[in-house]
Each structure stands twice: as structure tokens, then as C-alpha cells.
Amino acid sequence: MSGLLAGKRLLVTGVITDASIAFSVAKLAQENGAQVVLTGYGRLSLVERIAKRLPEPAPVIEVDVTNTEHLAGLADRVREHVDGLDGIVHSIGFAPQSCLGGGFLDAPWEDVATALHVSTFSYKSLAMAALPLMSPGGAVVGLTFDATKAWPVYDWMGVAKAGLESASRYLALHLGKQGIRSNLVAAGPLRTIAAKSIPGFDEFEGAWTERAPLGWSLTDQEPAARACLALLSDWFPATTGEIVHVDGGYHAIGS
């Protein structure tokens, strides 16, 4: 077996369609020698159908990251397919409609709490649920959307992503003693299911395609997926608490 991730065992969350970043991560990971286990929730049959489109059909286990019983049983469920994990890909995010599309000032706490639980706290809870399967050299990689700025229509999801970025740094701090890294990939806007659910998200598209120094494709998930693979590999053994921007360079230029 050869490839960047030869022999690695990965848990990949967030595969809903073959247009998702998570699907591209799983596909490239398999092509580079990794064993992949997927998680799904709610539309499990859809995830199972999409899993069959991978180079090698991947097992799918049900995980609701807000369900303590699911998290408590995660390690045992994963062990049914692999004997340990070398990496986790967190590609999970959700916010009720009241939290998006300009509703920042009116969204109730109950909805905001849901957004923070699913999109932010789950990064830590998923990592801890999988920790018994991991050993030194392992990596947790999450996906964010540059939270250093306030984006129109992104609202409370932007706040959740800011929390995710901070949570990754704290995870890096606390898991570093065990030799486990935590990093994020900040991708530019992509036409995924998650993006389409945000009212007005297309407002971002023109700016990126016109102004990103390297240009930007709204339908190509592979650059972000490749960055995830690099961070999961052994080529970044001393990098943790980092955010790698994969946005054509847009983040580096002035408004």
C-alpha cells in the first residue's frame, strides 16, 4: 500500500452528498492508502448510498454529536470496523434558520445554543469520544469559514465558527501532551448543501471569484480536501492549533 496516508485509519464526518468537502476527503484518503469509516445522522440511508460511490465502499455508523449515548458508544462502534484511529475529520455544522440570513439580532438563545452545540462544542466532544482509539501522532482536523470577520448573512454561524477556531486551539493545548494534533482548514465558499441552506450565501461568490489572487472555483472541493489530507498525514508532525486557509488567497488581501 502506498500514498500519503498509507495505513492510516480515519473517521470522517459530514458526508451528505458527493459534492461535500467530507466526501472529497474520504475519496482522496482512500486513494492515498487510508481506511475510512464514515458517520451520519438523520439521513443515514443517504450517507450509506453516497458511501458506495467511494473507491472502496466505506462503513457508516450513526452518530448524533449532541447525543451523549451515541458519543459514549462511538469507540466500540468504530472498533467493529478498524482497530484504532489515526485521524478524525470534523465536518459538522448546523444552525436553525433564525440564526442565519440577517437574523443575528433576533435569534433566540435556544436556536443559538443549538448552533453552538452542533457546530462548536461537537469538535471537542467528538474528539474525546474517539480519544480511546487514538495514539501519539494522531490528528483532528476540522473545517471552518474565516471567523476573523463578520460576514453578511452568516450571523450566528460565524460566531459558532469563531468558537470552533478557539476550541481547536484549546484542543491542541490539552491533547498535545498525548501527541495528538488539532488543526482547521478555512475553505472559501463552496456550493455545498450546507452553503445552499444559508439565505444570501451567494453574496460571497462574486467577491471570491473576482478577487482571490489565485482565483477560486465554487464547485471544486479538492483543494480543501487536499489540505485536510496533508494535516492528517505525517508531514506536519509539529503543527497544531493552526488554521490553514484554502481560499485562493482571498483572506490575505484588503477589502
Side-chain angles (χ1 to χ4, degrees):
M1 184 181 295
S2 61
L4 185 66
L5 299 178
K8 298 289 188 185
R9 302 152 299 174
L10 306 180
L11 183 69
V12 180
T13 69
V15 173
I16 298 176
T17 72
D18 53 10
S20 62
I21 298 173
F23 179 86
S24 189
V25 170
K27 177 177 179 291
L28 289 175
Q30 286 187 343
E31 292 173 349
N32 280 272
Q35 287 181 273
V36 173
V37 177
L38 305 180
T39 76
Y41 175 68
R43 291 175 283 183
L44 208 61
S45 61
L46 175 59
V47 180
E48 290 169 342
R49 188 161 63 248
I50 296 299
K52 294 176 182 176
R53 299 181 186 176
L54 292 168
E56 294 289 335
V60 179
I61 61 177
E62 184 177 24
V63 179
D64 173 3
V65 290
T66 68
N67 185 313
T68 55
E69 292 183 0
H70 282 201
L71 292 169
L74 176 65
D76 288 338
R77 295 292 307 280
V78 171
R79 284 193 188 98
E80 295 174 8
H81 306 286
V82 292
D83 58 0
L85 287 175
D86 302 290
I88 304 167
V89 178
H90 179 281
S91 182
I92 300 171
F94 171 76
Q97 284 298 304
S98 66
C99 296
L100 302 162
F104 183 84
L105 298 178
D106 300 315
W109 164 244
E110 292 76 14
D111 288 354
V112 172
T114 296
L116 295 176
H117 194 174
V118 177
S119 309
T120 306
F121 185 75
S122 68
Y123 188 73
K124 189 278 299 188
S125 56
L126 181 68
M128 293 307 295
L131 190 60
L133 299 167
M134 301 188 74
S135 55
V140 185
V141 175
L143 290 158
T144 188
F145 187 78
D146 190 355
T148 61
K149 304 173 181 65
W151 300 103
V153 312
Y154 209 44
D155 294 331
W156 285 102
M157 183 57 83
V159 176
K161 290 297 187 184
L164 174 67
E165 294 177 7
S166 183
S168 178
R169 290 188 287 269
Y170 277 98
L171 207 63
L173 170 66
H174 290 287
L175 294 188
K177 301 177 185 68
Q178 300 181 46
I180 296 172
R181 296 165 285 132
S182 173
N183 294 289
L184 300 178
V185 171
L190 292 162
R191 289 176 181 166
T192 61
I193 291 292
K196 290 176 182 177
S197 70
I198 301 173
F201 195 78
D202 55 357
E203 294 178 21
F204 298 144
E205 297 181 352
W208 250 269
T209 56
E210 293 169 10
R211 300 185 59 211
L214 293 175
W216 182 249
S217 170
L218 299 164
T219 57
D220 185 5
Q221 291 80 21
E222 189 165 315
R226 287 190 178 198
C228 291
L229 262 63
L231 291 169
L232 290 164
S233 77
D234 295 329
W235 283 93
F236 283 87
T239 298
T240 194
E242 187 59 86
I243 301 174
V244 177
H245 289 81
V246 182
D247 63 354
Y250 185 91
H251 74 283
I253 63 175
S255 300

